[in-house]
Amino acid sequence: QVQLVESGGGLVQAGGSLKLSCAASGTIFSIDVMGWYRQAPGKQRELVAVISSRDSTHYADSVKGRFTISRDNAKNTVYLQMDSLKPEDTGVYYCNAEISLLVATAPNDYWGQGTQVTVSS
């Protein structure tokens, strides 16, 4: 059984910073892509940033230059450093990871429970 546990959300003023963490635990053989998605009230879930196992990154245009995704493979953890936060960054942030439980098997998608980020103006 695999679990993704997020932490680091909270309330911050516009222009402030937060750092999210997501740790994967369980019987894990390997983790491919890890990423962060967010869902604002009344909107669909959207990609924020992803990072491959070789540290190749991709960001949504709306967060480029403000957010930084990184990972620690030894800890099965992905981070999201969020700077210059804006009210429109408010939402529930979800961690995602493509995880293989056994050698030579295709990875499955796993999601965290979500952590609330609220940016006040």
Side-chain angles (χ1 to χ4, degrees):
Q1 185 176 358
V2 172
Q3 278 192 317
L4 297 181
V5 179
E6 300 125 333
S7 60
L11 172 64
V12 65
Q13 286 189 331
S17 298
L18 283 174
K19 185 173 184 177
L20 306 182
S21 300
C22 171
S25 63
T27 305
I28 296 171
F29 172 70
S30 67
I31 304 178
D32 294 337
V33 179
M34 303 185 81
W36 291 94
Y37 293 72
R38 68 187 179 190
Q39 187 165 18
K43 294 188 176 181
Q44 289 189 332
R45 190 174 298 188
E46 63 177 0
L47 180 147
V48 176
V50 292
I51 183 168
S52 74
S53 58
R54 299 190 178 188
D55 290 340
S56 175
T57 59
H58 173 77
Y59 296 91
D61 287 343
S62 60
V63 307
K64 280 181 182 176
R66 300 188 297 121
F67 291 10
T68 303
I69 190 170
S70 61
R71 63 190 285 172
D72 184 333
N73 292 327
K75 297 181 179 179
N76 289 336
T77 299
V78 63
Y79 306 95
L80 186 68
Q81 176 66 44
M82 304 185 292
D83 299 317
S84 301
L85 282 160
K86 304 176 181 180
E88 51 263 44
D89 293 319
T90 294
V92 179
Y93 283 67
Y94 296 91
C95 173
N96 171 266
E98 298 177 353
I99 298 175
S100 296
L101 303 183
L102 298 171
V103 62
T105 58
N108 290 316
D109 245 7
Y110 292 87
W111 291 89
Q113 79 285 357
T115 184
Q116 177 69 43
V117 171
T118 303
V119 184
S120 63
S121 56

